[in-house]
Amino acid sequence: MTPKRTAQRAPAVAVAPEREPQRPPVEAIRAAAFAQFAERGYPVVTVRDIMKACGLTQGALYNHFRSKDELLHDIIASTQGELERLCQQAVAGAGDDPAAQLAAFVRVYVVRHCRLRVEALVANREIGWLSGERVADIRRSRRAIRDILVGVLTRGTEHGAFDPPRVDGRSDLKAIAMALLDQCTHVSMWYGPGGMLSEEQMAKLYADMALRAVGARAK
């Protein structure tokens, strides 16, 4: 009688856990710089601190940036430039209605400041450490964003869609734009995930407040 064969199980193969894709060195440096500058402040943080935080050698930084000052300029300019692009895109995609343009502008601005709170903190707090030459293009971008908003307010006022506040019979739309921008920017100082409102809900709230602030006409 032929003896029965016992079924042989294949040996278990250990499956290595999937690794998260590794950031390119320049992106790792930027992320570490944002985190270090936000937590400790630009003057205190050294190049060694940044490179240790992202697991790279000091020499790796100088492959991409000539100095800590250049790195600070790069990370602020990059986040500022993206914000300008998003604001332009939001207004352009909102059609011809100034109220829709204002709401779209505020929503994209607030969502970004809720989502990228560390970047906003560094950009607004540490910009003063940059030299005049390095800070010029960042200020230009900030003026461009302000002017996008002033343009929306001007069109809305001229077309009768907005009835903004007046002082001595006149409306200073640039001052109103700056007040709205300050309000939207400072959401990054206190907003945190897990609260009553999501990022999108917070953005809608701020858009509604902006429309009320400029006296948007009910339809």
Side-chain angles (χ1 to χ4, degrees):
M1 191 172 177
T2 306
K4 291 183 179 180
R5 292 184 178 179
T6 304
Q8 298 290 320
R9 291 187 178 183
V13 177
V15 179
E18 291 187 10
R19 292 183 178 179
E20 292 184 7
Q22 198 170 25
R23 286 178 171 177
V26 67
E27 292 303 323
I29 294 169
R30 285 175 174 144
F34 266 128
Q36 288 287 309
F37 293 156
E39 182 179 351
R40 301 169 57 206
Y42 175 80
V44 176
V45 175
T46 66
V47 169
R48 185 186 299 274
D49 294 331
I50 296 167
M51 304 316 290
K52 183 178 179 182
C54 63
L56 296 172
T57 64
Q58 255 184 278
L61 181 134
Y62 298 113
N63 291 331
H64 304 284
F65 307 102
R66 286 174 293 183
S67 64
K68 189 177 75 162
D69 186 63
E70 184 176 284
L71 173 57
L72 178 64
H73 172 263
D74 174 86
I75 62 176
I76 295 178
S78 62
T79 193
Q80 180 67 41
E82 178 64 6
L83 178 61
E84 181 184 347
R85 186 190 71 80
L86 289 172
C87 290
Q88 289 174 334
Q89 187 180 63
V91 171
D96 297 328
D97 180 13
Q101 292 175 351
L102 177 58
F105 178 100
V106 171
R107 281 197 299 268
V108 75
Y109 195 100
V110 170
V111 164
R112 185 168 176 84
H113 280 74
C114 286
R115 191 166 293 165
L116 301 180
R117 289 172 295 138
V118 169
E119 287 83 347
L121 174 64
V122 171
N124 290 300
R125 189 186 69 192
E126 307 298 334
I127 187 173
W129 295 106
L130 291 174
S131 64
E133 290 181 3
R134 292 195 188 280
V135 84
D137 60 329
I138 296 168
R139 287 179 175 158
R140 180 215 57 79
S141 179
R142 292 184 174 182
R143 287 193 299 271
I145 290 173
R146 179 204 64 196
D147 291 345
I148 293 169
L149 183 52
V150 170
V152 172
L153 298 180
T154 300
R155 289 190 294 275
T157 302
E158 290 175 348
H159 297 162
F162 300 155
D163 183 20
R166 291 174 171 79
V167 177
D168 296 331
R170 295 187 305 168
S171 287
D172 186 336
L173 297 182
K174 186 180 289 187
I176 293 171
M178 292 303 297
L180 292 175
L181 287 170
D182 281 348
Q183 177 175 277
C184 294
T185 297
H186 280 84
V187 71
S188 62
M189 300 294 291
W190 58 265
Y191 178 81
M196 286 184 62
L197 299 181
S198 67
E199 294 166 356
E200 290 74 16
Q201 289 172 321
M202 189 64 67
K204 183 180 184 307
L205 172 63
Y206 271 67
D208 289 347
M209 290 193 297
L211 289 167
R212 293 188 184 196
V214 298
R217 305 288 189 182
K219 294 187 178 179

